[in-house]
């Protein structure tokens, strides 16, 4: 009996009672390697003593002061740290309590920017299919996952979607990476022209698509082309790095590796590492100046924005990452993870693609490798893999609807940045066994090799 409305009503999840390093423990005493950091959150693992000590110090000093009256040392210091590491041009930080709030804030900042500049006719947001930007109504409207949107459609603001840069499914066999990147980016230009360039506010995309498509990175110079198109038509580029940012790919901002600076970038998840609910929007000097020289304030706000405890958690997490040079470990262990995945699953009958960057990797499952045919979605392969992994003491983040919101299955891996080689070995070993067991539980007639 539970009084909680759980994510799934039928079936009660195990009770988590503790965590240390790479592992979580349930009330029955079972240990799980947290190979996805929940949903790419726990970048420092669990129970990190330095973060816990920082939170104790903060709560002893100040738990909460409303940002309508005060700022706090922790929030100011976190903003300094984020801007010190940010790509040139990003100048200010807006602190919120999670990813959806960050996306909502970024969308509203983009709209208000044009109102401040005397262009109130701008109203269109362009995004990509198969993206996920959060579950609040604005973020859900921007997101491109049909399954998540379907029943709420009557409540969603109008948005427009182009294809994602999803090479495994959408790149033609005879097409070079450059030609594919050009073709995908051109969709943005066509959409802007169709809507009228002076009516578009922004294009929003995940630098690397996370939850709904499984760690899909951009191809060749796709993002540079996107940046150039936004500049040509005077629209803002919002990169959603709620999942892929904060070091997950080996650089603090994933877009650094693509040589692109957005006008707005969202962060959450790994920013606070799960020690407190925390999200952020970084905005460019140009946007800040438009607000400063215009109405003088951003018409938005939440009771818990800039929360001192959340800021203290983010600050502590980020200081540990820098002190312990953990992004170098993300790069090294990311390569190790890629190699181990290729070794164990690269020739697997039912693995179509292994992709990603750093400690952010996706494995796309297929019924038939030669045709890339997905499994029948009613088989719920992703749920079977999750259950088999948990039975083996492994947390991974499998999801269905990879291709179009309905078809396709993938597994997302996002282990903590503290992982070492033996952790990576154990993760891949357990994942391989879980995948094999999940496939074996499916009737042979539904598999190409059956
Ligand atoms: C890219 C991206 N944006 C936004 C969100 C929403 O974040 P939250 O669940 O913290 O509201 C998520 C969550 O998975 C995400 O992956």
């Amino acid at each position: 009996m539970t009084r909680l409305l759980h994510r799934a009503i039928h079936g009660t999840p195990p009770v988590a009672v503790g965590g240390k390093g790479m592992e979580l423990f349930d009330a029955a005493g079972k240990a799980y390697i947290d190979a996805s950091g929940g949903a790419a959150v726990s970048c420092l693992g669990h129970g990190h003593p330095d973060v816990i000590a920082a939170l104790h110090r903060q709560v002893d000093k100040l738990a909460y002061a409303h940002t309508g009256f005060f700022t706090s040392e922790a929030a100011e210091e976190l903003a300094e740290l984020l801007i010190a590491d940010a790509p040139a041009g990003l100048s200010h930080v807006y602190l919120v309590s999670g990813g959806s709030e960050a996306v909502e804030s970024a969308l509203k900042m983009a709209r208000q920017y044009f109102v401040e500049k005397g262009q109130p006719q701008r109203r269109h947001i362009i995004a990509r299919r198969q993206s996920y930007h959060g579950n609040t109504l604005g973020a859900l409207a921007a997101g491109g996952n049909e399954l998540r949107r379907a029943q709420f459609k009557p409540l969603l603001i109008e948005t427009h979607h182009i294809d994602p840069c999803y090479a495994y499914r959408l790149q033609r066999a005879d097409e070079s990476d450059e030609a594919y990147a050009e073709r995908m980016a051109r969709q943005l230009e066509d959409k802007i022209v169709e809507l009228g360039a002076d009516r578009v506010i922004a294009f929003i995309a995940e630098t690397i698509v996370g939850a709904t498509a499984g760690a899909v990175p951009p191809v060749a110079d796709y993002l540079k082309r996107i940046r150039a198109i936004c500049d040509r038509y005077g629209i803002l580029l919002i990169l959603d790095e709620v999942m892929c940012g904060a070091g997950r790919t080996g650089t603090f901002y994933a877009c650094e590796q693509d040589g692109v600076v957005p006008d707005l970038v969202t962060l959450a998840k790994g920013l606070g590492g799960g020690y407190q609910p925390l999200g952020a929007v970084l905005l460019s000097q140009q946007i800040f100046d438009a607000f400063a020289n215009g109405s003088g304030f951003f018409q938005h706000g939440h009771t818990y924005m800039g929360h001192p405890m959340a800021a203290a958690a983010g600050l502590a997490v980020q200081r540990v990452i820098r002190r312990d040079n953990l992004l170098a470990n993300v790069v090294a262990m990311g390569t190790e993870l890629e190699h181990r995945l290729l070794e164990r699953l690269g020739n697997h009958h039912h693995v179509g693609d292994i992709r990603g960057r750093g400690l952010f990797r996706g494995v796309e499952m297929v019924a038939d490798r030669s045709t890339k045919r997905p499994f029948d979605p009613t088989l719920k392969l992703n749920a079977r893999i999750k259950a088999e992994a948990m039975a083996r003491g492994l947390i991974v983040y499998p999801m269905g609807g990879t291709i179009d919101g309905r078809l396709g299955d993938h597994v997302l891996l996002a282990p903590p940045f503290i992982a070492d080689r033996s952790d990576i070995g154990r993760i891949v070993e357990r994942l391989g066994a879980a995948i094999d067991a999940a496939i074996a539980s499916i009737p042979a007639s539904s598999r190409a090799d059956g």
Side-chain angles (χ1 to χ4, degrees), residues 54 83 104 162 211 236 244 298 358-359 390 445-446:
I83 293 301
E104 295 288 338
I162 60 171
L236 298 177
C244 64
F298 175 37
L359 283 176
M390 282 189 82
S445 58
S446 300

Side-chain angles (χ1 to χ4, degrees), residues 75-378:
E76 295 290 343
E77 283 176 42
L78 180 58
E80 284 292 341
L81 178 145
L82 291 175
I83 293 301
D85 278 3
L90 296 172
S91 65
H92 289 79
V93 180
Y94 190 76
L95 291 176
V96 290
S97 305
S100 301
E101 277 189 14
V103 170
E104 295 288 338
S105 307
L107 294 174
K108 288 177 75 176
M109 268 182 213
R111 162 71 189 166
Q112 189 177 326
Y113 167 73
F114 284 114
V115 174
E116 301 282 5
K117 298 227 324 167
Q119 300 176 38
Q121 82 286 355
R122 289 189 186 258
R123 52 180 295 224
H124 295 302
I125 300 288
I126 305 174
R128 301 191 300 182
R129 283 183 269 281
Q130 284 314 97
S131 55
Y132 181 59
H133 296 299
N135 265 333
T136 51
L137 291 175
L140 189 64
N145 183 294
E146 276 316 306
L147 196 71
R148 296 190 196 215
R149 291 162 50 95
Q151 68 172 315
F152 301 107
K153 247 186 190 153
L155 305 184
L156 302 182
I157 55 165
E158 182 190 359
T159 49
H160 307 270
H161 292 89
I162 60 171
D163 281 334
C165 187
Y166 180 8
Y168 177 64
R169 292 281 168 190
L170 301 179
Q171 186 172 1
R172 296 179 191 134
D174 62 350
E175 199 172 33
S176 68
D177 285 357
E178 288 69 25
Y180 173 61
E182 196 274 330
R183 181 164 65 87
M184 287 296 105
R186 199 170 350 111
Q187 287 195 9
L188 175 61
E189 181 152 22
D190 292 348
K191 185 57 82 180
I192 294 171
V193 170
E194 178 195 319
L195 295 169
D198 65 339
R199 301 183 74 78
V200 178
I201 295 171
F203 175 61
I204 177 167
E206 291 167 83
T207 307
I208 298 182
V209 188
T212 51
V216 178
V219 167
D221 58 352
Y222 171 79
L223 276 182
K224 278 207 172 110
R225 288 176 180 277
I226 291 288
R227 176 73 269 185
I229 292 167
C230 289
D231 289 343
R232 194 172 319 140
Y233 292 95
I235 74 167
L236 298 177
L237 174 60
I238 306 173
L239 288 181
D240 182 353
E241 298 210 353
V242 162
M243 194 177 251
C244 64
R248 171 89 6 235
T249 65
T251 46
F252 190 78
Y253 298 93
C255 59
E256 289 173 53
Q257 293 174 47
D258 300 282
V260 163
V261 182
D263 300 292
L264 294 150
V265 60
T266 54
L267 297 171
K269 297 191 186 270
L271 181 58
Y275 287 89
Q276 290 287 292
L278 177 64
V281 185
L282 274 74
L283 53 144
S284 66
Q285 185 73 51
Q286 184 192 346
I287 296 174
F288 178 82
D289 288 346
F291 284 38
N293 300 329
S295 66
F297 85 118
F298 175 37
Q299 179 71 64
H300 191 60
H302 295 284
T303 300
Y304 295 127
M305 63 179 288
H307 197 291
M309 293 299 291
L315 199 55
V317 167
Q318 297 310 321
R319 282 181 174 156
V320 169
I321 288 174
R322 283 153 185 76
R323 184 197 68 196
D324 297 350
N325 199 18
L326 287 178
L327 295 196
N329 196 52
V330 171
V331 173
M333 289 305 109
T335 305
E336 176 77 8
L337 180 57
E338 182 184 23
H339 288 163
R340 295 283 186 117
L341 287 171
L342 286 170
E343 206 173 77
R344 176 66 175 83
L345 298 169
N347 293 318
H348 195 286
H349 279 310
H350 297 295
V351 171
D353 193 27
I354 297 172
R355 56 193 175 226
R357 279 187 200 162
L359 283 176
F360 195 42
R361 300 281 165 177
V363 177
E364 183 165 338
M365 307 301 300
V366 284
D368 184 335
R369 264 167 82 104
S370 57
T371 62
K372 302 186 182 178
R373 177 170 61 85
F375 280 93
D376 175 346
T378 61

